[in-house]
């Protein structure tokens, strides 16, 4: 079953948040509050725009730390009116994020709470700290992979909405299925490995996904290597298809084609691929 993505609704929520923060900035009486809220509104607006061009990489960029730093600065500003923003930390920690972001957000949440020690009475400050800790732990528990099933779902997810681009973990599962299907239907199935130069993997992945058939998939094996499962009538058609695919890329690459029946040591093949010279021609592993 195809995975449904709600990118449009997500963008709408981001732009709505940007609008609300911009309104708060206009209504703020304090200059610094207005500046920080305006920067936060700008951050949300730019994030929503960037989501149109990159559906996967934005979640792992240092760009996410900007929102955390703005929130921490807003809470730590002098004045009782900013303390209410402290409760935004559990919401931020509940979002899916890499481990380094969780550590950063948890640390900034603790510093934000500590900054209120002189603005609250001792028993209120302690009560706020206990409640904030409980909410943050609950938020983190919801974002962490709680078991094998959730980890499996995350690994299965496509790397970009609308593209047949999957993770390397998904390739390991698909190889067994595709090999069995090729033997049953008497077709030629192979894995085309493409090693790209520089920072072109994302662009080339989009071009590859636009060229393959609807029942075929591409996989990101590492930061510079793509794998494409191609199914053809025979080896001759496979050779023609893969060459057309590489001609459409229009970039220096190292490529290697391996029939699934010969794919017994993928790490070794990837190591050999990295040692090839860039060439428009595909190096073929020996067929059965």
């Amino acid at each position: 079953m195809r995975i449904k993505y709600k990118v449009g609704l997500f963008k709408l929520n981001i732009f709505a948040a940007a609008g609300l923060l911009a309104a708060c900035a206009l209504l703020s009486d304090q200059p610094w509050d207005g500046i920080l809220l305006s920067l936060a509104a700008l951050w949300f607006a730019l994030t929503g725009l960037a989501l149109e061009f990159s559906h996967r990489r934005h979640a792992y960029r240092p760009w996410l730390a900007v929102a955390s730093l703005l929130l921490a600065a807003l809470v730590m500003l002098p004045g009782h009116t900013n303390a209410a923003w402290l409760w935004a930390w559990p919401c931020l920690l509940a979002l899916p994020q890499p481990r380094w972001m969780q550590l950063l957000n948890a640390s900034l949440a603790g510093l934000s709470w500590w900054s209120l020690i002189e603005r609250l009475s001792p028993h209120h400050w302690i009560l706020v700290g206990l409640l904030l800790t409980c909410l943050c732990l609950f938020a983190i528990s919801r974002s962490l992979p709680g078991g094998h099933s959730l980890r499996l779902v995350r690994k299965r997810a496509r790397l970009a909405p609308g593209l047949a681009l999957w993770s390397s973990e998904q390739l390991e599962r698909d190889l067994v299925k595709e090999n069995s299907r090729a033997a049953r239907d008497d077709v030629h199935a192979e894995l085309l490995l493409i090693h790209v130069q520089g920072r072109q993997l994302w662009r080339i992945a989009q071009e590859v996904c636009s060229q393959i058939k609807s029942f075929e998939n591409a996989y990101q094996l590492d930061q510079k290597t793509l794998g494409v499962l191609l199914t053809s009538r025979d080896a001759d058609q496979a050779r023609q298809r893969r060459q057309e695919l590489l001609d459409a890329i229009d970039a220096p690459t190292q490529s290697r084609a391996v029939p699934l029946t010969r794919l017994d040591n993928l790490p070794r093949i990837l190591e050999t691929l990295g040692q090839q010279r860039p060439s428009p021609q595909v190096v073929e592993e020996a067929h059965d």
Side-chain angles (χ1 to χ4, degrees):
M1 184 177 72
R2 290 182 177 273
I3 296 177
K4 303 297 182 183
Y5 293 90
K6 300 179 177 62
V7 178
L9 182 60
F10 183 41
K11 288 180 60 177
L12 181 62
N13 291 331
I14 290 178
F15 288 131
L20 289 174
L21 289 172
C24 291
L26 291 174
L27 297 175
S28 176
D29 297 330
Q30 302 296 326
W32 277 109
D33 289 1
I35 292 174
L36 290 175
L37 289 170
S38 299
L39 290 175
L42 179 61
W43 183 89
F44 272 100
L46 292 177
T47 301
L49 292 174
L51 194 65
E52 180 72 23
F53 304 101
S54 176
H55 301 287
R56 66 183 183 92
R57 293 180 296 176
H58 71 282
Y60 294 94
R61 291 175 176 173
W63 172 252
L64 281 182
V66 176
S68 303
L69 295 174
L70 288 173
L71 179 57
L74 191 63
V75 175
M76 295 180 186
L77 275 178
H80 293 279
T81 56
N82 300 329
W85 288 99
L86 183 72
W87 306 111
W89 285 114
C91 300
L92 200 58
L93 284 165
L95 296 174
Q97 56 197 281
R99 183 63 54 87
W100 68 268
M101 276 298 303
Q102 285 181 338
L103 294 175
L104 175 64
N105 287 331
S107 301
L108 290 177
L111 289 175
S112 300
W113 166 70
W114 186 265
S115 68
L116 302 179
I117 189 170
E118 296 182 353
R119 287 187 264 173
L120 299 175
S121 60
H123 63 282
H124 282 155
W125 181 72
I126 294 174
L127 181 61
V128 167
L130 292 175
L131 183 58
L132 180 66
T133 300
C134 293
L135 290 175
C136 288
L137 290 176
F138 178 71
I140 292 174
S141 68
R142 290 181 60 85
S143 65
L144 287 176
H148 174 72
S149 59
L150 183 55
R151 288 194 296 269
L152 187 61
V153 169
R154 288 185 174 179
K155 288 179 179 179
R156 284 185 59 86
R158 296 192 187 193
L159 299 181
L163 292 182
L165 183 63
W166 301 78
S167 64
S168 58
E169 291 83 3
Q170 184 62 35
L171 173 62
E172 297 176 4
R173 292 185 287 271
D174 287 352
L175 283 175
V176 178
K177 178 182 65 176
E178 291 299 321
N179 203 359
S180 301
R181 186 169 68 90
R184 182 183 68 248
D185 298 340
D186 192 23
V187 295
H188 179 85
E190 66 180 21
L191 178 65
L192 175 62
L193 298 171
I194 304 173
H195 187 83
V196 306
Q197 305 295 318
R199 299 178 177 271
Q200 302 187 76
L201 185 134
W202 181 241
R203 178 184 66 81
I204 291 178
Q206 291 176 301
E207 294 178 357
V208 167
C209 290
S210 67
Q211 295 290 326
I212 60 179
K213 297 179 180 178
S214 59
F215 55 84
E216 296 173 329
N217 294 308
Y219 308 84
Q220 180 181 348
L221 304 184
D222 53 43
Q223 295 299 318
K224 291 189 175 183
T225 308
L226 293 172
V228 189
L229 279 178
L230 297 176
T231 303
S232 308
R233 290 192 304 269
D234 50 39
D236 291 335
Q237 186 191 42
R239 189 175 296 108
Q240 178 183 357
R241 288 197 60 210
R242 80 170 82 102
Q243 197 59 54
E244 291 175 353
L245 185 65
L246 292 175
D247 291 342
I249 291 176
D250 190 25
T253 60
Q254 299 141 261
S255 53
R256 200 171 192 90
V258 189
L260 296 193
T261 54
R262 303 281 299 179
L263 191 61
D264 54 355
N265 193 338
L266 184 56
R268 177 191 62 80
I269 296 173
L270 289 174
E271 183 180 356
T272 305
L273 175 68
Q275 298 172 355
Q276 291 180 202
R277 292 183 177 273
S279 170
Q281 301 298 320
V282 182
V283 176
E284 298 184 40
E285 291 281 331
H287 291 68
D288 286 340

